[in-house]
Amino acid sequence: MEKKGNDKPTNPMVTPLLNDLYQFTMAYAYWKAGKQSERSVFDLYFRKNPFGGEYTIFAGLEECIKFLANFTLTDAEIDFVRDSLPGCEEAFCDYLRGLDCSDIEVYAVSEGSVVFPKVPLLRIEGPVAVVQLLETPFLNLINYASLVATNAARHRFVAGKSKLLLEFGARRAQGPDGAISASKYCYLGGFDATRHVLVLLRVNVAAGRLFGIPLRGTHSHAFVSSFMSLDEIVDKALRSSDGKTTCEDFVSLVQTCLAKIQNSSSLSGIFSETNKSELAAFTSYALAFPSAFLALVDTYDVMKSGIPNFCAVALALNELGYKAVGIRLDSGDLAYLSTEARKFFCGVERELNVPDFGKMIITASNDLNEETVDALNKQGHEVDAFGIGTNLVTCYSQAALGCVFKLVEINNQPRIKLSEDVTKVSIPCKKRTYRLFGKEGYPLVDIMTGENEPPPKVGERLLCRHPFNESKRAYVVPQRVEELLKCYWRGNADEAREELEPLKEIRNRCIKQLENMRPDHMRRLNPTPYKVSVSAKLYDFIHFLWLNEAPVGELH
């Protein structure tokens, strides 16, 4: 298999050793029993939607395919495996040296799709020993990616389409890989990062370089508090935006603009003297980034200092042909402060005749989550953009998605995993999956069928059954049918397979599919469960195999 340098997994630690020891002990036991090449089929799926919701966003497929393309064990890694397996024979090490994924096939739902419990996200076919070595890496690459993408999508739903969402989580993520992955999959789930060209905020720089997410930056409280006075500003000159003139003393221009605000009849009563060290920091930052001036205004006092100081610098920039971007609020009553800041901006626009000054962008941060954004919406606010970090990237309200990887067929023989907990009973055999759409265009139900069953047809009545509850069943007449599993990896075979898509296209799919979901499936409180079903034929086979495999008890 050809391996291209740019097709490697994002994290160089994603190798065959990103694994549980028991995958290698099973591979060795398969090899010892002569079963290592038996053709197997595994399903990767999850059992319950996260965050109390009724949908999940599938993510992580691209990294899985890159892992397959680069699957090989080095001599050093094989030596380590040998030392970790008691009594390991050298012939097994020779077997490991020849392993690759040329005999593996992977069928998957398109990345960025809305998905539901029990329905396979991936179907992996191939030699059983090799497929077992894919289990832990695949689960690792998909569990967090899908969880954080879903978390991002939920935040987008609460915030609404018109608000800008920015991922602020790099410093709070679980290590470097958590930060990189969060940036990628939050963007996939609907976060903008810096989609709006005027919004310049902190975003994970490494993720931007790797995934093409646009980057911008602003300052922190430390930058503001590092200044003591305006006297610290040495280079005070600033050229106009058209380059035709130069203001030799931008500091004096800022002070003049502040005086105009102080002398304004409608604005003077809000503040008296502002913090001059803050004014120095804002002025210095504007000199460095005159066309990208966005200030953090809550270091000292938002309304008595931060907002007036920002407006003074923004007015000075305006006189030189620049337009300030806006402010960020990182503490306090965000609903109240954003509303008061908007009133102040509009007052400046009206009193000093500065067009569009009242439309300045207001960004809010400070440990935001779904609940706080929802509460702000109910209270009423003037926030244009939300910077969300800790609760987003750590998935604070749910630690893991809980994907599983189950054998469903070996040597063409269907297999089932039983449990006293019916939610943990697997659905056997190689399956095909379809999404059936109703006359209003919404998805109605996902249905699994046996591999050789005829596919559902538009306009033809079809019985859909709950996999385990015999009383739950419904007839559906689909108006559109979409097959969900597509081939994304076929090893060395010449047959066509799906190409991996750019991140932006995956993101667009996610947004489009979420917009096409029925509203009651999407609501935050008491959402309607989406129906997942099996065909009548598959239902009968599941329960036949269940009875066949379950031991019969005996009473005395």
Side-chain angles (χ1 to χ4, degrees), residues 39 41 407-416 428-430 541 545:
R39 194 74 181 174
V41 180
L407 177 71
V408 296
E409 186 174 294
I410 191 161
N411 292 334
N412 296 315
Q413 296 300 310
R415 308 306 299 147
I416 189 170
C429 78
K430 188 191 297 188
F541 182 73
L545 193 61

Side-chain angles (χ1 to χ4, degrees), residues 206-255:
R209 180 178 67 82
L210 289 168
F211 309 122
I213 301 172
L215 300 177
R216 300 295 186 269
T218 187
H219 62 77
S220 68
H221 296 105
F223 181 82
V224 177
S225 58
S226 72
F227 283 81
M228 301 297 289
S229 75
L230 289 163
D231 295 334
E232 294 179 57
I233 302 175
V234 178
D235 186 357
K236 302 178 182 181
L238 180 62
R239 290 180 67 82
S240 62
S241 63
D242 60 12
K244 294 179 179 179
T245 61
T246 298
C247 173
E248 297 297 339
D249 192 347
F250 184 69
V251 174
S252 293
L253 181 58
V254 169
Q255 291 174 308

Side-chain angles (χ1 to χ4, degrees), residues 525-541:
L525 297 177
N526 302 315
T528 303
Y530 181 83
K531 292 178 175 59
V532 172
S533 66
V534 296
S535 66
K537 187 174 181 180
L538 182 55
Y539 175 89
D540 290 339
F541 182 73

